Amino acid sequence: MKIMEKVWGTLGIIEPVETEDDRLRQDEPESKTSKKNNLVNLTNSQKPIKVIVVEPYSFDDAQQIADHLKNRKPVVVNFENTDKDVAKRMVDFISGTTYALSGNIQKIGNNIFFCVPSNVDIAYTGRDDGADKSVLSWMNK
């Protein structure tokens, strides 16, 4: 039955004619005849974020870390095998890079830093041993 015929039939203009298809639809449950356009995709469509781990040996590696941050990838920097003077210069450079990109840098271990761009938040609850976090005490060891 066409829609206009239904409307005219309810207004009394014409007598509605019921077809066999209409009778079959009335016998079916409502879920079979309803539209199925309300599907929700429950899978995560975002790609997982890839974390880059870098163990720098010279100051030249600082540019590589900055490039990863510019490409919006988080970077873990492990300074355990880096000369202390070079590591200090690199932390200064990387700190400036993360600041310029509205990112964040967090010390997460002895000689290990986590640098993230602005699209990543760090939720780190490390042990507070009363040390001043503004001083890089690991450089003095």
Side-chain angles (χ1 to χ4, degrees), residues 81-114:
N81 297 321
T82 308
D83 181 63
K84 290 182 182 180
D85 293 331
V86 172
K88 183 177 179 183
R89 288 180 56 213
M90 287 185 73
V91 167
D92 291 342
F93 180 83
I94 296 167
S95 295
T97 302
T98 55
Y99 177 78
L101 297 172
S102 300
N104 195 3
I105 184 169
Q106 176 73 46
K107 182 177 178 184
I108 59 173
N110 192 24
N111 300 331
I112 300 173
F113 287 82
F114 190 35

Side-chain angles (χ1 to χ4, degrees), residues 6 15 25-26 32 34 37 40 42 44 47 52 65 69-70 76 98 101 108 110 118 124 127 130:
K6 285 184 182 181
E15 180 146 344
R25 283 190 193 131
Q26 290 174 357
K32 288 186 179 179
S34 64
N37 294 336
V40 177
L42 296 178
N44 189 358
K47 292 182 183 179
I52 310 296
I65 297 166
L69 291 169
K70 281 175 33 180
V76 174
T98 55
L101 297 172
I108 59 173
N110 192 24
S118 60
Y124 177 71
R127 185 179 73 174

Side-chain angles (χ1 to χ4, degrees), residues 35-91:
K35 293 182 181 178
K36 298 191 181 199
N37 294 336
N38 295 332
L39 297 177
V40 177
N41 186 3
L42 296 178
T43 60
N44 189 358
S45 62
Q46 290 182 338
K47 292 182 183 179
I49 295 177
K50 184 177 182 180
V51 177
I52 310 296
V53 178
V54 178
E55 294 184 24
Y57 296 105
S58 68
F59 187 77
D60 295 334
D61 296 328
Q63 183 175 357
Q64 176 189 15
I65 297 166
D67 289 339
H68 288 306
L69 291 169
K70 281 175 33 180
N71 292 326
R72 303 181 65 75
K73 295 180 182 170
V75 182
V76 174
V77 186
N78 183 352
F79 289 113
E80 289 180 350
N81 297 321
T82 308
D83 181 63
K84 290 182 182 180
D85 293 331
V86 172
K88 183 177 179 183
R89 288 180 56 213
M90 287 185 73
V91 167

